[in-house]
């Protein structure tokens, strides 16, 4: 099934084809900062372990 069959086109097929040819692909995303990623993982793990500890302590 072609997705173009499911929508009402605003442009005619020739204009649509021209638009598809003229658009550049999206730029590749920059990789995340390794130090910031590691800090967030450690912080998240610390929060989870603390909450689990509190649940066990109060149960």
């Amino acid at each position: 099934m072609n997705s173009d069959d499911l929508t009402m086109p605003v442009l005619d097929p020739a204009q649509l084809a021209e638009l598809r040819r003229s658009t550049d692909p999206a730029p590749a995303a920059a990789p995340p900062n390794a130090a910031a990623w590691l800090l967030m993982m450690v912080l998240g793990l610390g929060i989870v372990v603390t909450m689990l500890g509190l649940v066990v302590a109060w149960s």
Side-chain angles (χ1 to χ4, degrees), residues 18-38:
E18 177 63 30
L19 184 62
R20 285 182 177 149
R21 280 193 303 272
S22 68
T23 55
D24 294 329
N33 184 353
W37 181 85
L38 183 61

Side-chain angles (χ1 to χ4, degrees), residues 29-48:
N33 184 353
W37 181 85
L38 183 61
L39 178 65
M40 292 299 288
M41 291 298 111
V42 170
L43 188 65
L45 182 62
I47 290 170
V48 168

